[in-house]
Amino acid sequence: MKLYTKAERSTFPYWFAHWKAFNKVAFSLHDWKFKYLFHDIEKPWLLFLWKDYKRVKKWHRDHNKHHLDNPMGKYDWKAMFIDWECSRYTKAEAQLNAYETMLHELDKHKDNPDLCYQLKINMMPLFLKYMPYLPYNVDIYIDDPYGDM
């Protein structure tokens, strides 16, 4: 699969590659759902209408539960995990797996202990559930620099 640069992420081919990678990862984790067919479906249409990728990106992150930027505070943790895990298959600059992305997000949001707590208590069980299907090992009890898990 092609890795896209930041400049290419505002294109339909990138969106389609991300959509395929997202669904492929969901299948490989044995947790695919019908709703995943509609993952990020609004992005190419909003880009067509608005012609402003920054505006589309902000709107998308503010209105989708698989992003921590969602101001409603209700998250789709499984979709977030899958989104994080599939990003390394499509983004040249984001070669982190889901675990590395979680550590990055914990560091990024360290001034918000409630969000970090939510992140840990909701993501750690997913790592345990998906461990047999991940192409890497995560020792979440020994290698957890943020403690509490």
Side-chain angles (χ1 to χ4, degrees), residues 24-109:
K24 185 176 182 177
V25 167
F27 271 115
S28 71
L29 295 175
H30 301 265
D31 215 349
W32 184 85
K33 296 178 177 164
F34 181 76
K35 72 178 185 173
Y36 294 159
L37 289 175
F38 305 102
H39 177 74
D40 292 357
I41 194 77
E42 80 285 357
K43 287 176 85 175
W45 299 106
L46 290 176
L47 188 59
F48 176 74
L49 293 172
W50 293 343
K51 311 277 192 258
D52 179 0
Y53 182 67
K54 286 185 180 180
R55 183 177 174 198
V56 170
K57 182 178 176 182
K58 180 173 179 4
W59 189 94
H60 172 73
R61 288 176 172 264
D62 286 348
H63 292 86
N64 282 276
K65 294 178 183 179
H66 64 276
H67 286 288
L68 288 174
D69 302 344
N70 172 1
M72 294 180 287
K74 294 184 178 183
Y75 304 107
D76 182 343
W77 298 104
K78 286 182 182 180
M80 189 182 302
F81 183 100
I82 294 165
D83 206 35
W84 289 354
E85 187 63 28
C86 80
S87 114
R88 63 195 171 114
Y89 297 115
T90 56
K91 296 178 182 177
E93 293 92 355
Q95 289 295 293
L96 303 178
N97 60 40
Y99 184 69
E100 293 164 336
T101 302
M102 184 189 67
L103 294 179
H104 171 77
E105 291 295 331
L106 285 168
D107 190 51
K108 180 175 151 185
H109 297 286

